[in-house]
């Protein structure tokens, strides 16, 4: 099993190899993709990328939490959280690639 | 927003690029992330989030219809953790 961590740079490099734009422009395009996805999610939209997965925003109600160290009760404000549901294709590829 | 709408937004912002190249660019990004996870690698996109692979141990499951016990093998599943900046933006903090 791999233990590398890829970053934006690796994605830009892949775009650069695939399309033959400059490295700078490739990096800008990776950034633009992430920016558009983030903006849509912040607007409360779902982002559904076929054969990759779906990002959705869920509303969490306020609740009383507890500081695990002191046991003290702390109010947790209502908040929005992002969830990612991988597509079947991604699940299958990740399961197959990491088998054994 | 679906994949084709994302492609259209990028195409609109980059009139000098062919539509089919924009498609290849967007597809390459998602393909690269999936390939990395299939190798067991992580993809960390600061501000947005991180994709990683989690191991699920083998367990004895149950067929929900028949109640019969079934052995479920160890497997690896994709996992996404939201980045701090995006988490903050979702909750109205602009910085």
């Amino acid at each position: 099993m791999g233990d590398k961590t890829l970053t934006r740079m690796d994605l830009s490099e892949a775009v650069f190899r695939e399309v033959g734009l400059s490295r700078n422009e490739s990096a800008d395009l990776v950034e633009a993709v992430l920016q558009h996805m983030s903006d849509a999610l912040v607007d409360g939209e779902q982002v559904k990328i076929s054969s990759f997965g779906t990002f959705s925003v869920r509303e969490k109600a306020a609740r009383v939490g507890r500081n695990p160290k002191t046991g003290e009760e702390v109010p947790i404000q209502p908040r929005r959280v992002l969830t990612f549901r991988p597509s079947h294709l991604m699940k299958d590829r990740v399961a197959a690639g990491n088998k054994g | 927003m679906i994949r084709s709408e994302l492609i259209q937004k990028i195409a609109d912002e980059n009139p000098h690029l062919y539509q089919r190249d924009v498609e290849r660019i967007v597809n390459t990004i998602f393909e690269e992330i999936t390939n990395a996870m299939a190798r067991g690698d992580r993809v960390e996109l600061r501000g947005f989030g991180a994709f990683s692979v989690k191991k699920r141990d083998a367990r004895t499951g149950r067929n929900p219809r028949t109640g019969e016990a079934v052995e479920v093998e160890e497997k690896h599943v994709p996992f996404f953790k939201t980045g701090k900046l995006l988490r903050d933006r979702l909750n109205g903090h602009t910085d």
Side-chain angles (χ1 to χ4, degrees):
Chain A
M1 180 160 156
D3 45 15
K4 268 180 57 185
T5 297
L6 278 72
T7 64
R8 280 173 170 73
M9 242 195 353
D10 300 281
L11 300 185
S12 312
E13 190 65 24
V15 169
F16 167 77
R17 281 196 310 264
E18 180 71 21
V19 193
L21 301 168
S22 72
R23 281 199 162 81
N24 254 336
E25 192 167 14
S26 302
D28 289 346
L29 286 160
V30 169
E31 203 51 56
V33 165
L34 296 177
Q35 197 61 52
H36 282 302
M37 291 172 71
S38 303
D39 290 348
L41 292 164
V42 169
D43 287 346
E45 255 186 82
Q46 207 179 48
V47 175
K48 208 168 181 166
I49 308 295
S50 54
S51 76
F52 184 81
T54 303
F55 298 87
S56 7
V57 179
R58 287 176 42 197
E59 308 276 342
K60 294 274 210 171
R63 64 184 174 89
V64 179
R66 207 175 273 278
N67 180 328
K69 210 174 307 187
T70 63
E72 199 183 349
E73 285 191 351
V74 276
I76 296 178
Q77 299 301 315
R79 65 211 158 96
R80 295 201 299 169
V81 295
L82 177 57
T83 57
F84 174 66
R85 192 163 178 269
S87 71
H88 273 288
L89 186 88
M90 180 192 276
K91 282 199 222 170
D92 290 348
R93 287 188 54 195
V94 169
N98 291 282
K99 211 176 174 113
Chain B
M1 179 165 79
I2 61 173
R3 186 194 287 258
S4 58
E5 290 166 336
L6 175 58
I7 289 168
Q8 197 51 55
K9 281 179 198 280
I10 303 289
D12 291 345
E13 287 171 349
N14 296 276
H16 62 292
L17 297 179
Y18 289 114
Q19 177 91 17
R20 61 151 205 277
D21 282 341
V22 176
E23 274 169 35
R24 281 169 66 203
I25 290 160
V26 172
N27 295 346
T28 297
I29 293 171
F30 293 116
E31 191 61 26
E32 202 62 17
I33 296 173
T34 306
N35 287 343
M37 283 191 284
R39 292 192 303 266
D41 290 339
R42 262 170 74 80
V43 182
E44 200 174 304
L45 304 167
R46 281 285 160 88
F48 183 78
F51 295 90
S52 59
V53 179
K54 286 205 166 175
K55 187 180 131 194
R56 297 272 179 263
D57 286 331
R59 63 188 171 87
T60 305
R62 219 167 259 288
N63 181 327
R65 188 130 29 144
T66 63
E68 200 182 349
V70 274
E71 294 309 316
V72 181
E73 281 183 22
E74 166 192 305
K75 68 173 173 185
H76 290 82
V77 296
F79 180 76
F80 176 75
K81 183 172 191 283
T82 312
K84 185 173 187 313
L85 183 73
L86 181 50
R87 208 184 325 129
D88 288 348
R89 277 191 69 200
L90 284 170
N91 290 290
H93 314 294
T94 43
D95 231 283

